[in-house]
Amino acid sequence: MRASLLVLPWLVTVAACSSCAPADGGAPSDAAPTPDAPPVNLDPERLISDVDECPAGYVDTAPVAGLNSNFLVAGQERSFVMMAPPTTYAGPRPLFVGFNGTSENGTKFANRADLADFAAAGFFVLAPSSIGNGMFWPIWDGMRPPGAEGGANKDLAYFDTLVACVAAHYEVDKKRIFVGGHSAGGIFTNKVLRARSSLIAGAIVGSGVFDLTSDGTDATPSPLLAIVTWGGDNDRYAGTTPGGITVPDFTFVEQAARASQYYASAPGMTHVACRGDDLGHAWLPVNAWFIEALLSHPKGAPAQTPLPELPSGGAVTCSQAPYELAPLPNVACGTSSVAGCQAACQLMADCVVENVTVGTVMKDQWLDLGFTSTTCGGCIAQCGQVAATNANAEVLACFAQAEASAQCGPGIEGALPFMGAVDACCDGRGDSSFCVSICAEFSENEAASGFFPVCAEIAP
């Protein structure tokens, strides 16, 4: 790709006309002409940073092309791969920071996603390695429970320090700082995008979970280009993390839809949704388009700035319309002769069985508890067989109260009312056979058990 990509025709100046007829065909306006908005300067501009931002060992010595290690941030030794643009490129250069997925490091992700394409197009490329800081998915610290979103985050601190240090030693263009990642790296890309939007010009969110990636402020993100990607309807993951957490099955399609809808609705945001043609859980093979799209939207570019022609009709199809995923069928749980059973089963049906993200991960559990994808008669039957004890009656009454006010919805966040009900109603209730039985099921699922902390105390 030629260096001229950095000098695109960003703006078209249109002279104001006080005597032109209005669009509705009425009389010319007598109002004074409105001056054109001043043009935005989108020329490359160096990010100013001081070497004192660097950890010891990198103050007097710049990061080098290749593997860099012993980069001490927040008490942790980190490593990263750096790729430099060809020396034929002069002046402040774009920066792309790519985040690795599960069971890989920065080097492996850089190779898998062919990030050398970005360096060849004139970017500095950084591929930092994760170190297992995550709470719910232990790769990057991208997902946080409600109330803990804004706490100290060692991975965000690493990102901040890494960008600042590289910018102190090299000419990095402050208007063209981009991030991206795939799978677990896509999760952290959502986190960085939402927490550091004032710095970032654009992002590629590859098959990343969107839920629970808020920075806790609910602030409107600074306008940027958000490219949400997934491999198609077969974009699924099953496997085990380096720390030993096994995921039976996870689909990224609903999470892509949630991210797409969020970024498409954010004021001033430029959004693109790119879907693979059943490519599976993959970084989409359109780096040339990614590069051109990112470079077309430096920080400060108007939202209406045109994109390069979107991929269509091949392995990848992109659209600027938000992606909508059809909901699963509603599961109606009927009635029960045991007080609270219908409500408990309906709550799980609404929040889990009907939920594309959580329901896929917990499918073995809801099948064992008597659900099908359209019915919950088996759940009511199993619940009706619990012993008629005060403990069970109190627990089921608690679930009925929770179900009466629950607002279930899509994604992990849409399943939280049920998860919260389990934690509230079964807290300290080892005397309830109902709680013990459902907790025994949930504790078998390593990917879901972290959302039911109370079950660790009472599951057999």
Side-chain angles (χ1 to χ4, degrees), residues 94-450:
L95 173 68
F96 183 84
V97 184
F99 304 111
N100 63 263
T102 302
S103 301
E104 62 183 358
N105 55 24
T107 300
K108 289 183 178 179
F109 174 63
N111 291 334
R112 177 167 69 90
D114 293 323
L115 296 188
D117 292 344
F118 289 77
F123 288 71
F124 280 102
V125 175
L126 300 174
S129 292
S130 60
I131 202 170
N133 287 328
M135 288 187 175
F136 289 127
W137 191 242
I139 308 302
W140 298 98
D141 192 355
M143 300 168 64
R144 293 283 188 91
E149 303 98 331
N153 187 311
K154 293 182 177 181
D155 285 335
L156 281 178
Y158 177 31
F159 170 77
D160 294 339
T161 303
L162 182 57
V163 171
C165 183
V166 171
H169 287 286
Y170 298 98
E171 290 191 76
V172 170
D173 183 358
K174 66 181 292 185
K175 299 174 185 175
R176 293 170 177 83
I177 296 175
F178 308 102
V179 296
H182 183 254
S183 193
I187 300 174
F188 194 58
T189 299
N190 276 319
K191 181 71 172 183
V192 174
L193 193 160
R194 299 173 77 178
R196 299 292 185 266
S197 66
S198 61
L199 175 72
I200 296 167
I204 304 169
V205 181
S207 303
V209 173
F210 175 79
D211 289 323
L212 305 178
T213 60
S214 168
D215 66 349
T217 66
D218 292 326
T220 300
S222 173
L224 49 79
L225 169 62
I227 304 173
V228 178
T229 79
W230 68 106
D233 290 345
N234 66 345
D235 191 339
R236 309 174 85 93
Y237 171 83
T240 302
T241 72
I245 296 178
T246 299
V247 176
D249 190 15
F250 189 95
T251 174
F252 288 87
V253 181
E254 183 177 59
Q255 290 300 309
R258 286 179 57 73
S260 172
Q261 292 161 24
Y262 174 83
Y263 296 126
S265 65
M269 192 77 69
T270 300
H271 154 270
V272 183
C274 291
R275 170 179 177 156
D277 184 13
D278 284 339
L279 300 180
H281 193 50
W283 177 263
L284 299 189
V286 287
N287 275 358
W289 183 83
F290 286 154
I291 291 166
E292 190 174 1
L294 293 177
L295 290 177
S296 73
H297 280 70
K299 198 67 174 174
Q304 65 270 24
T305 299
L307 285 159
E309 184 177 356
L310 300 177
S312 179
V316 177
T317 299
C318 299
S319 171
Q320 290 195 260
Y323 181 68
E324 301 285 345
L325 182 67
L328 294 176
N330 290 328
V331 178
C333 290
T335 61
S336 171
S337 59
V338 177
C341 279
Q342 187 276 341
C345 290
Q346 189 66 64
L347 182 59
M348 187 169 179
D350 292 343
C351 285
V352 177
V353 181
E354 297 172 13
N355 187 301
V356 177
T357 302
V358 176
T360 303
V361 175
M362 295 182 62
K363 185 175 182 178
D364 287 347
Q365 284 65 55
W366 54 257
L367 286 173
D368 287 346
L369 290 172
F371 292 89
T372 71
S373 60
T374 56
T375 66
C376 57
C379 173
I380 289 179
Q382 288 188 31
C383 179
Q385 295 171 5
V386 300
T389 64
N390 287 337
N392 283 330
E394 291 169 357
V395 165
L396 289 171
C398 179
F399 273 97
Q401 184 176 11
E403 192 272 336
S405 60
Q407 295 185 1
C408 302
I412 299 170
E413 293 174 1
L416 291 180
F418 174 73
M419 298 168 176
V422 172
D423 279 346
C425 298
C426 292
D427 185 18
R429 301 314 302 251
D431 57 346
S432 165
S433 58
F434 180 80
C435 284
V436 171
S437 64
I438 62 173
C439 278
E441 284 290 339
F442 301 152
S443 296
E444 290 181 358
N445 189 320
E446 294 174 334
S449 60

